[in-house]
Amino acid sequence: MSTLAKGSRSITKAVLSRPRMDGVGALVYRSIGDTELRNHDPFLLLDEFNVDKDGGFPDHPHRGFETVTYMLEGQFQHEDFAGHSGTIGPGDLQWMTAGRGIVHTEMPVKTQTPAHGLQLWINLPKEHKMCEPQYQELLDGQVPRANPQDGVIIKVIAGESHGVSSKVYTRTPTTYLDFKMAPHKTVEQAIPSSYNGFIYGLKGTIYVGEEGVVGKPHQTLILSEDGTETIKISTKDEEAHFVVIAGQPLKEPVVQRGLFVMNSQDEIVEAMVDYQHGQHGFERAKGWHSTIA
Ligand code: FJE
Ligand code: FE
């Protein structure tokens, strides 16, 4: 017998992000991670960033979580302390597991088009926080699409949609879908009922759940946690572009100090000491400076 509730998940909160500055001269709309949207377990942060040629995120460390950078426009380059580097453009993504430690730089390629995209931070379960760093890089063409009906294209960045599965390995079970919908369409999307989830609007207006709660660009809609498996999303007169992100909550203590996210205050102190002394994963941090920042 199914214990799933019928109908669509509803929206428990709608928050419109306002632009602010972060890094060096980078404009970000902060969704998850802003004061009103703290600790949406397992997610720590979602930023929609706009960075022109004078801005970026120069040399900084991470420990204890993953960053997923998904490009919408322009080009972004990165370089880390282990000599790993690359460039991603529109539709491409970099899924970076910082694990025990990454020090890197993230900068736009200095062209006419500013770098515009999304960066998501996913917390790691306790047993993976000190794992070896890993990169999973996918070009736009390597991200599978679901096309459940005419005028609905779903890029499956992580998890699955309408029988199409992503190959990205997630240490924290995560669904990350990019939707493009023509006007006057309705789609249902299954999300595991135990996941916490949200929708973030990029373009156009959407109507979510049985009540048709309105979602706009720069707005975050938090999905209800009521044991329901699907969400229903519709467009009216405009086409729409948005992402649906959901993940299995870790239900572990979260202690965050800047770019280190651990389970206890002691582990945060350890992270700062390890970074300062160049040890336990930060060996290559000693004297490293990026060549692109
Ligand atoms: C950060 C300094 C930083 N949002 N969106 C301080 F550099 C960062 C940081 C980012 C970031 C990077 C990209 Cl590519 C996109 C971002 C913050 O790296 F979060 C703080 N607090
Ligand atoms: Fe970073």
Side-chain angles (χ1 to χ4, degrees), residues 203-281:
K203 191 180 162 198
T205 305
I206 54 171
Y207 302 84
V208 184
E210 302 303 338
E211 296 86 17
V213 174
V214 172
K216 302 252 184 205
H218 311 301
Q219 199 167 33
T220 302
L221 303 179
I222 300 292
L223 305 182
S224 61
E225 295 159 35
D226 53 11
T228 312
E229 242 206 342
T230 62
I231 37 168
K232 187 168 111 178
I233 305 167
S234 304
T235 50
K236 289 186 180 170
D237 296 335
E238 317 174 81
E239 57 178 26
H241 185 196
F242 56 93
V243 292
V244 176
I245 297 172
Q248 179 67 45
L250 302 177
K251 301 192 167 97
E252 291 172 348
V254 179
V255 183
Q256 177 164 3
R257 171 98 176 240
L259 309 173
F260 303 133
V261 183
M262 302 303 290
N263 299 118
S264 70
Q265 186 57 41
D266 284 356
E267 289 170 345
I268 290 290
V269 172
E270 242 170 61
M272 294 191 300
V273 169
D274 287 349
Y275 178 50
Q276 246 167 37
H277 292 205
Q279 59 189 27
H280 303 137

Side-chain angles (χ1 to χ4, degrees), residues 11 25-26 127 131 134 207 224 258 293:
I11 300 305
E127 70 268 24
C131 71
Q134 187 199 2
Y207 302 84
S224 61

Side-chain angles (χ1 to χ4, degrees), residues 22-24 26-28 30 45-51 56-62 65 67-69 71 76-78 94 104-107 117-121 256 258-259:
D22 202 349
V24 176
L27 185 125
V28 304
R30 183 151 299 159
L45 174 133
L46 178 72
D47 274 356
E48 178 186 355
F49 59 85
N50 283 280
V51 195
F57 300 93
D59 308 12
H60 60 274
H62 293 279
F65 61 102
T67 68
V68 181
T69 309
M71 292 303 293
F76 222 50
Q77 54 184 330
H78 63 93
Q94 182 202 58
H104 72 166
T105 283
E106 298 155 286
M107 302 298 275
L118 297 174
Q119 188 171 91
L120 176 70
W121 293 5
Q256 177 164 3
L259 309 173

Side-chain angles (χ1 to χ4, degrees), residues 61-127:
H62 293 279
R63 174 181 280 183
F65 61 102
E66 305 187 298
T67 68
V68 181
T69 309
Y70 178 47
M71 292 303 293
L72 298 168
E73 298 168 284
Q75 308 259 334
F76 222 50
Q77 54 184 330
H78 63 93
E79 180 183 31
D80 82 2
F81 69 161
H84 183 90
S85 65
T87 301
I88 50 175
D92 302 342
L93 83 135
Q94 182 202 58
W95 194 293
M96 184 189 91
T97 305
R100 62 214 299 253
I102 285 275
V103 184
H104 72 166
T105 283
E106 298 155 286
M107 302 298 275
V109 176
K110 296 179 186 354
T111 59
Q112 292 305 91
T113 318
H116 176 212
L118 297 174
Q119 188 171 91
L120 176 70
W121 293 5
I122 309 172
N123 202 4
L124 282 167
K126 192 178 183 57
E127 70 268 24

